[in-house]
Amino acid sequence: YGHIICRCEGISEGEMVAAIRQNPGARDLDGVKRRTRAGMGRCQGGFCAPRVMELLSEELGVPQTQLTKSGGGSLLLTGETKEVQA
């Protein structure tokens, strides 16, 4: 619970997971931002946004390419830049 994700605002991973799991929970990046202030600090989400996207993907069970900034068609990722070889 104490692992800090947003360094600017001091928001922990546990707080973000709670914001996603609560009723009604956050379903997009701005939902987490409104509930926790993650991404509202000096860097404007430059450091924490990728980790917030990982948490949303894990908790909601959807790939990161389907996550949106504020719902609707505001996709955060539109595709892959290169193929990853295992």
Side-chain angles (χ1 to χ4, degrees):
Y1 196 87
H3 183 233
I4 300 297
I5 302 295
C6 180
R7 295 181 281 179
C8 299
E9 293 292 322
I11 309 299
S12 71
E13 182 174 345
E15 290 173 288
M16 290 184 194
V17 170
I20 296 167
R21 291 181 181 174
Q22 75 182 15
N23 189 14
R27 297 291 174 255
D28 51 44
L29 193 63
D30 279 355
V32 173
K33 185 177 186 176
R34 284 189 296 273
R35 288 168 176 81
T36 65
R37 292 192 49 85
M40 295 180 93
R42 186 173 188 168
C43 78
Q44 293 293 292
F47 290 104
C48 64
R51 183 62 183 134
V52 174
M53 289 173 57
E54 288 177 16
L55 287 173
L56 275 168
S57 177
E58 291 169 10
E59 291 295 318
L60 300 177
V62 297
Q64 288 188 24
T65 53
Q66 291 182 1
L67 295 176
T68 62
K69 181 182 182 321
S70 59
S74 61
L75 294 173
L76 292 165
L77 303 175
T78 58
E80 298 180 14
T81 57
K82 63 181 177 180
E83 189 174 323
V84 178
Q85 297 178 0

